[in-house]
mmCIF file of all heavy atoms in Angstrom:
data_model
loop_
_atom_site.group_PDB
_atom_site.id
_atom_site.type_symbol
_atom_site.label_atom_id
_atom_site.label_comp_id
_atom_site.label_asym_id
_atom_site.label_seq_id
_atom_site.Cartn_x
_atom_site.Cartn_y
_atom_site.Cartn_z
ATOM 1 N N ARG N 1 -12.613 12.273 -65.133
ATOM 2 C CA ARG N 1 -12.572 13.280 -64.058
ATOM 3 C C ARG N 1 -13.629 14.353 -64.291
ATOM 4 O O ARG N 1 -14.326 14.780 -63.369
ATOM 5 C CB ARG N 1 -11.179 13.916 -63.983
ATOM 6 C CG ARG N 1 -10.122 13.026 -63.366
ATOM 7 C CD ARG N 1 -8.909 13.850 -62.906
ATOM 8 N NE ARG N 1 -8.307 14.606 -63.994
ATOM 9 C CZ ARG N 1 -7.337 14.127 -64.781
ATOM 10 N NH1 ARG N 1 -6.896 12.879 -64.607
ATOM 11 N NH2 ARG N 1 -6.836 14.875 -65.739
ATOM 12 N N LEU N 2 -13.747 14.797 -65.553
ATOM 13 C CA LEU N 2 -14.766 15.803 -65.883
ATOM 14 C C LEU N 2 -16.169 15.247 -65.664
ATOM 15 O O LEU N 2 -17.068 15.960 -65.194
ATOM 16 C CB LEU N 2 -14.603 16.256 -67.335
ATOM 17 C CG LEU N 2 -13.354 17.076 -67.672
ATOM 18 C CD1 LEU N 2 -13.344 17.412 -69.171
ATOM 19 C CD2 LEU N 2 -13.318 18.361 -66.864
ATOM 20 N N LEU N 3 -16.350 13.983 -66.002
ATOM 21 C CA LEU N 3 -17.654 13.360 -65.839
ATOM 22 C C LEU N 3 -18.016 13.255 -64.358
ATOM 23 O O LEU N 3 -19.174 13.493 -63.966
ATOM 24 C CB LEU N 3 -17.651 11.976 -66.488
ATOM 25 C CG LEU N 3 -19.003 11.360 -66.841
ATOM 26 C CD1 LEU N 3 -19.783 12.267 -67.769
ATOM 27 C CD2 LEU N 3 -18.808 9.997 -67.496
ATOM 28 N N GLU N 4 -17.046 12.910 -63.539
ATOM 29 C CA GLU N 4 -17.288 12.833 -62.099
ATOM 30 C C GLU N 4 -17.633 14.210 -61.530
ATOM 31 O O GLU N 4 -18.524 14.359 -60.691
ATOM 32 C CB GLU N 4 -16.048 12.268 -61.400
ATOM 33 C CG GLU N 4 -16.214 12.054 -59.907
ATOM 34 C CD GLU N 4 -17.345 11.092 -59.583
ATOM 35 O OE1 GLU N 4 -17.571 10.150 -60.362
ATOM 36 O OE2 GLU N 4 -18.026 11.308 -58.555
ATOM 37 N N LYS N 5 -16.913 15.222 -62.030
ATOM 38 C CA LYS N 5 -17.208 16.588 -61.607
ATOM 39 C C LYS N 5 -18.611 16.985 -62.024
ATOM 40 O O LYS N 5 -19.348 17.640 -61.279
ATOM 41 C CB LYS N 5 -16.177 17.542 -62.224
ATOM 42 C CG LYS N 5 -16.368 18.995 -61.827
ATOM 43 C CD LYS N 5 -15.308 19.868 -62.495
ATOM 44 C CE LYS N 5 -15.539 21.335 -62.136
ATOM 45 N NZ LYS N 5 -14.543 22.213 -62.813
ATOM 46 N N GLN N 6 -19.005 16.558 -63.229
ATOM 47 C CA GLN N 6 -20.337 16.863 -63.738
ATOM 48 C C GLN N 6 -21.414 16.190 -62.870
ATOM 49 O O GLN N 6 -22.443 16.792 -62.569
ATOM 50 C CB GLN N 6 -20.451 16.404 -65.198
ATOM 51 C CG GLN N 6 -21.658 16.931 -65.941
ATOM 52 C CD GLN N 6 -21.676 16.463 -67.393
ATOM 53 O OE1 GLN N 6 -22.138 15.374 -67.706
ATOM 54 N NE2 GLN N 6 -21.144 17.288 -68.287
ATOM 55 N N ARG N 7 -21.156 14.928 -62.458
ATOM 56 C CA ARG N 7 -22.115 14.215 -61.597
ATOM 57 C C ARG N 7 -22.258 14.921 -60.252
ATOM 58 O O ARG N 7 -23.364 15.033 -59.698
ATOM 59 C CB ARG N 7 -21.650 12.774 -61.383
ATOM 60 C CG ARG N 7 -21.732 11.880 -62.616
ATOM 61 C CD ARG N 7 -21.573 10.418 -62.222
ATOM 62 N NE ARG N 7 -21.487 9.576 -63.398
ATOM 63 C CZ ARG N 7 -20.348 9.095 -63.888
ATOM 64 N NH1 ARG N 7 -19.186 9.395 -63.287
ATOM 65 N NH2 ARG N 7 -20.338 8.328 -64.956
ATOM 66 N N THR N 8 -21.145 15.406 -59.723
ATOM 67 C CA THR N 8 -21.183 16.134 -58.450
ATOM 68 C C THR N 8 -22.036 17.389 -58.576
ATOM 69 O O THR N 8 -22.844 17.711 -57.697
ATOM 70 C CB THR N 8 -19.762 16.516 -58.008
ATOM 71 O OG1 THR N 8 -18.971 15.329 -57.911
ATOM 72 C CG2 THR N 8 -19.773 17.227 -56.668
ATOM 73 N N GLU N 9 -21.858 18.102 -59.711
ATOM 74 C CA GLU N 9 -22.638 19.315 -59.935
ATOM 75 C C GLU N 9 -24.119 19.002 -60.077
ATOM 76 O O GLU N 9 -24.970 19.777 -59.643
ATOM 77 C CB GLU N 9 -22.120 20.032 -61.180
ATOM 78 C CG GLU N 9 -20.737 20.641 -61.006
ATOM 79 C CD GLU N 9 -20.201 21.238 -62.289
ATOM 80 O OE1 GLU N 9 -20.841 21.023 -63.352
ATOM 81 O OE2 GLU N 9 -19.145 21.899 -62.250
ATOM 82 N N VAL N 10 -24.432 17.843 -60.680
ATOM 83 C CA VAL N 10 -25.825 17.432 -60.818
ATOM 84 C C VAL N 10 -26.439 17.212 -59.441
ATOM 85 O O VAL N 10 -27.567 17.622 -59.165
ATOM 86 C CB VAL N 10 -25.938 16.151 -61.676
ATOM 87 C CG1 VAL N 10 -27.344 15.562 -61.566
ATOM 88 C CG2 VAL N 10 -25.603 16.459 -63.122
ATOM 89 N N GLN N 11 -25.677 16.560 -58.534
ATOM 90 C CA GLN N 11 -26.175 16.324 -57.183
ATOM 91 C C GLN N 11 -26.410 17.646 -56.457
ATOM 92 O O GLN N 11 -27.408 17.818 -55.758
ATOM 93 C CB GLN N 11 -25.169 15.476 -56.391
ATOM 94 C CG GLN N 11 -25.035 14.053 -56.893
ATOM 95 C CD GLN N 11 -26.356 13.293 -56.796
ATOM 96 O OE1 GLN N 11 -27.130 13.465 -55.849
ATOM 97 N NE2 GLN N 11 -26.617 12.446 -57.783
ATOM 98 N N VAL N 12 -25.487 18.588 -56.644
ATOM 99 C CA VAL N 12 -25.642 19.914 -56.031
ATOM 100 C C VAL N 12 -26.877 20.611 -56.576
ATOM 101 O O VAL N 12 -27.654 21.227 -55.844
ATOM 102 C CB VAL N 12 -24.382 20.778 -56.274
ATOM 103 C CG1 VAL N 12 -24.612 22.208 -55.819
ATOM 104 C CG2 VAL N 12 -23.187 20.168 -55.562
ATOM 105 N N ASN N 13 -27.079 20.493 -57.902
ATOM 106 C CA ASN N 13 -28.246 21.121 -58.518
ATOM 107 C C ASN N 13 -29.541 20.514 -57.995
ATOM 108 O O ASN N 13 -30.531 21.209 -57.782
ATOM 109 C CB ASN N 13 -28.184 20.973 -60.039
ATOM 110 C CG ASN N 13 -27.120 21.864 -60.657
ATOM 111 O OD1 ASN N 13 -26.764 22.890 -60.071
ATOM 112 N ND2 ASN N 13 -26.612 21.484 -61.816
ATOM 113 N N LYS N 14 -29.535 19.185 -57.796
ATOM 114 C CA LYS N 14 -30.737 18.525 -57.279
ATOM 115 C C LYS N 14 -31.036 18.995 -55.865
ATOM 116 O O LYS N 14 -32.186 19.243 -55.488
ATOM 117 C CB LYS N 14 -30.544 17.013 -57.304
ATOM 118 C CG LYS N 14 -30.701 16.378 -58.669
ATOM 119 C CD LYS N 14 -30.575 14.865 -58.591
ATOM 120 C CE LYS N 14 -30.786 14.232 -59.959
ATOM 121 N NZ LYS N 14 -30.653 12.747 -59.901
ATOM 122 N N THR N 15 -29.963 19.126 -55.054
ATOM 123 C CA THR N 15 -30.131 19.591 -53.677
ATOM 124 C C THR N 15 -30.682 21.006 -53.659
ATOM 125 O O THR N 15 -31.526 21.359 -52.833
ATOM 126 C CB THR N 15 -28.785 19.548 -52.934
ATOM 127 O OG1 THR N 15 -28.260 18.228 -53.002
ATOM 128 C CG2 THR N 15 -28.959 19.964 -51.482
ATOM 129 N N ALA N 16 -30.202 21.808 -54.612
ATOM 130 C CA ALA N 16 -30.664 23.203 -54.693
ATOM 131 C C ALA N 16 -31.929 23.332 -55.519
ATOM 132 O O ALA N 16 -32.371 24.438 -55.818
ATOM 133 C CB ALA N 16 -29.566 24.075 -55.287
ATOM 134 N N GLU N 17 -32.507 22.180 -55.929
ATOM 135 C CA GLU N 17 -33.728 22.133 -56.720
ATOM 136 C C GLU N 17 -33.575 22.862 -58.046
ATOM 137 O O GLU N 17 -34.479 23.541 -58.515
ATOM 138 C CB GLU N 17 -34.918 22.712 -55.926
ATOM 139 C CG GLU N 17 -35.250 21.907 -54.688
ATOM 140 C CD GLU N 17 -36.483 22.442 -53.994
ATOM 141 O OE1 GLU N 17 -36.952 23.523 -54.383
ATOM 142 O OE2 GLU N 17 -36.972 21.781 -53.062
ATOM 143 N N LYS N 18 -32.397 22.721 -58.637
ATOM 144 C CA LYS N 18 -32.176 23.279 -59.974
ATOM 145 C C LYS N 18 -32.276 22.166 -61.002
ATOM 146 O O LYS N 18 -32.053 20.999 -60.706
ATOM 147 C CB LYS N 18 -30.789 23.928 -60.073
ATOM 148 C CG LYS N 18 -30.636 25.175 -59.212
ATOM 149 C CD LYS N 18 -29.248 25.759 -59.390
ATOM 150 C CE LYS N 18 -29.057 26.990 -58.537
ATOM 151 N NZ LYS N 18 -27.680 27.542 -58.676
ATOM 152 N N GLU N 19 -32.596 22.531 -62.224
ATOM 153 C CA GLU N 19 -32.720 21.554 -63.311
ATOM 154 C C GLU N 19 -31.329 21.089 -63.739
ATOM 155 O O GLU N 19 -30.495 21.899 -64.139
ATOM 156 C CB GLU N 19 -33.446 22.186 -64.500
ATOM 157 C CG GLU N 19 -33.792 21.211 -65.604
ATOM 158 C CD GLU N 19 -34.901 20.242 -65.193
ATOM 159 O OE1 GLU N 19 -35.693 20.592 -64.297
ATOM 160 O OE2 GLU N 19 -34.962 19.148 -65.770
ATOM 161 N N PRO N 20 -31.029 19.791 -63.626
ATOM 162 C CA PRO N 20 -29.700 19.313 -64.038
ATOM 163 C C PRO N 20 -29.537 19.393 -65.551
ATOM 164 O O PRO N 20 -30.522 19.337 -66.289
ATOM 165 C CB PRO N 20 -29.688 17.857 -63.568
ATOM 166 C CG PRO N 20 -31.129 17.456 -63.535
ATOM 167 C CD PRO N 20 -31.886 18.702 -63.156
ATOM 168 N N PRO N 21 -28.303 19.519 -66.049
ATOM 169 C CA PRO N 21 -28.076 19.580 -67.499
ATOM 170 C C PRO N 21 -28.449 18.269 -68.168
ATOM 171 O O PRO N 21 -28.259 17.196 -67.608
ATOM 172 C CB PRO N 21 -26.567 19.858 -67.617
ATOM 173 C CG PRO N 21 -25.991 19.380 -66.321
ATOM 174 C CD PRO N 21 -27.044 19.610 -65.283
ATOM 175 N N THR N 22 -29.005 18.362 -69.381
ATOM 176 C CA THR N 22 -29.405 17.181 -70.139
ATOM 177 C C THR N 22 -28.227 16.669 -70.957
ATOM 178 O O THR N 22 -27.611 17.438 -71.697
ATOM 179 C CB THR N 22 -30.570 17.514 -71.090
ATOM 180 O OG1 THR N 22 -31.632 18.054 -70.317
ATOM 181 C CG2 THR N 22 -31.048 16.276 -71.813
ATOM 182 N N PRO N 23 -27.866 15.372 -70.818
ATOM 183 C CA PRO N 23 -26.755 14.833 -71.617
ATOM 184 C C PRO N 23 -27.052 14.948 -73.102
ATOM 185 O O PRO N 23 -28.201 14.834 -73.526
ATOM 186 C CB PRO N 23 -26.684 13.361 -71.184
ATOM 187 C CG PRO N 23 -27.399 13.306 -69.860
ATOM 188 C CD PRO N 23 -28.453 14.369 -69.928
ATOM 189 N N ASN N 24 -25.999 15.169 -73.893
ATOM 190 C CA ASN N 24 -26.160 15.266 -75.343
ATOM 191 C C ASN N 24 -26.606 13.920 -75.905
ATOM 192 O O ASN N 24 -26.105 12.876 -75.510
ATOM 193 C CB ASN N 24 -24.828 15.689 -75.980
ATOM 194 C CG ASN N 24 -25.000 16.193 -77.392
ATOM 195 O OD1 ASN N 24 -25.548 15.506 -78.236
ATOM 196 N ND2 ASN N 24 -24.521 17.401 -77.640
ATOM 197 N N SER N 25 -27.547 13.962 -76.822
ATOM 198 C CA SER N 25 -28.104 12.730 -77.382
ATOM 199 C C SER N 25 -27.248 12.147 -78.495
ATOM 200 O O SER N 25 -27.545 11.088 -79.018
ATOM 201 C CB SER N 25 -29.500 13.006 -77.944
ATOM 202 O OG SER N 25 -29.421 13.928 -79.019
ATOM 203 N N GLY N 26 -26.178 12.840 -78.875
ATOM 204 C CA GLY N 26 -25.347 12.372 -79.992
ATOM 205 C C GLY N 26 -25.728 13.013 -81.311
ATOM 206 O O GLY N 26 -25.109 12.783 -82.325
ATOM 207 N N VAL N 27 -26.775 13.848 -81.302
ATOM 208 C CA VAL N 27 -27.164 14.601 -82.491
ATOM 209 C C VAL N 27 -26.689 16.029 -82.288
ATOM 210 O O VAL N 27 -27.095 16.700 -81.345
ATOM 211 C CB VAL N 27 -28.689 14.571 -82.699
ATOM 212 C CG1 VAL N 27 -29.064 15.395 -83.923
ATOM 213 C CG2 VAL N 27 -29.177 13.137 -82.840
ATOM 214 N N TYR N 28 -25.820 16.488 -83.167
ATOM 215 C CA TYR N 28 -25.167 17.781 -82.973
ATOM 216 C C TYR N 28 -25.705 18.803 -83.968
ATOM 217 O O TYR N 28 -25.886 18.507 -85.142
ATOM 218 C CB TYR N 28 -23.655 17.627 -83.112
ATOM 219 C CG TYR N 28 -23.124 16.518 -82.237
ATOM 220 C CD1 TYR N 28 -22.857 15.261 -82.768
ATOM 221 C CD2 TYR N 28 -22.948 16.721 -80.884
ATOM 222 C CE1 TYR N 28 -22.400 14.231 -81.966
ATOM 223 C CE2 TYR N 28 -22.492 15.701 -80.067
ATOM 224 C CZ TYR N 28 -22.225 14.453 -80.610
ATOM 225 O OH TYR N 28 -21.785 13.441 -79.812
ATOM 226 N N ALA N 29 -25.942 19.986 -83.468
ATOM 227 C CA ALA N 29 -26.520 21.042 -84.303
ATOM 228 C C ALA N 29 -25.467 21.621 -85.228
ATOM 229 O O ALA N 29 -24.292 21.716 -84.878
ATOM 230 C CB ALA N 29 -27.104 22.141 -83.428
ATOM 231 N N ARG N 30 -25.915 21.993 -86.405
ATOM 232 C CA ARG N 30 -25.032 22.660 -87.356
ATOM 233 C C ARG N 30 -24.678 24.037 -86.810
ATOM 234 O O ARG N 30 -25.537 24.740 -86.276
ATOM 235 C CB ARG N 30 -25.752 22.781 -88.687
ATOM 236 C CG ARG N 30 -24.961 23.508 -89.767
ATOM 237 C CD ARG N 30 -25.800 23.591 -91.028
ATOM 238 N NE ARG N 30 -25.239 24.492 -91.999
ATOM 239 C CZ ARG N 30 -25.861 24.877 -93.097
ATOM 240 N NH1 ARG N 30 -27.066 24.423 -93.344
ATOM 241 N NH2 ARG N 30 -25.295 25.697 -93.953
ATOM 242 N N PRO N 31 -23.412 24.448 -86.883
ATOM 243 C CA PRO N 31 -23.024 25.753 -86.355
ATOM 244 C C PRO N 31 -23.783 26.887 -87.044
ATOM 245 O O PRO N 31 -24.134 26.799 -88.221
ATOM 246 C CB PRO N 31 -21.533 25.843 -86.672
ATOM 247 C CG PRO N 31 -21.141 24.572 -87.287
ATOM 248 C CD PRO N 31 -22.333 23.736 -87.528
ATOM 249 N N LEU N 32 -24.023 27.948 -86.295
ATOM 250 C CA LEU N 32 -24.732 29.100 -86.852
ATOM 251 C C LEU N 32 -23.841 29.801 -87.866
ATOM 252 O O LEU N 32 -22.655 30.029 -87.623
ATOM 253 C CB LEU N 32 -25.119 30.078 -85.739
ATOM 254 C CG LEU N 32 -26.138 29.548 -84.719
ATOM 255 C CD1 LEU N 32 -26.329 30.573 -83.608
ATOM 256 C CD2 LEU N 32 -27.464 29.252 -85.390
ATOM 257 N N ASP N 33 -24.393 30.149 -89.005
ATOM 258 C CA ASP N 33 -23.644 30.871 -90.026
ATOM 259 C C ASP N 33 -23.759 32.364 -89.785
ATOM 260 O O ASP N 33 -24.663 32.843 -89.112
ATOM 261 C CB ASP N 33 -24.161 30.524 -91.430
ATOM 262 C CG ASP N 33 -23.671 29.155 -91.873
ATOM 263 O OD1 ASP N 33 -22.521 29.049 -92.289
ATOM 264 O OD2 ASP N 33 -24.461 28.204 -91.774
#
């Protein structure tokens, strides 16, 4: 459901000519200390 909502937001962003969010590549940053 969240993924479908995310896809809908991507379509809205494209219509509004906004940069869609980039999917995570599976490499996660170490938390800031």
Side-chain angles (χ1 to χ4, degrees):
R1 285 199 302 271
L2 291 179
L3 200 57
E4 184 59 34
K5 181 180 178 182
Q6 193 178 84
R7 291 194 187 101
T8 303
E9 291 175 351
V10 168
Q11 292 299 323
V12 172
N13 288 335
K14 282 183 178 179
T15 304
E17 296 184 351
K18 293 181 181 178
E19 188 71 25
T22 304
N24 197 305
S25 64
V27 178
Y28 308 99
R30 178 181 168 189
L32 295 175
D33 284 281

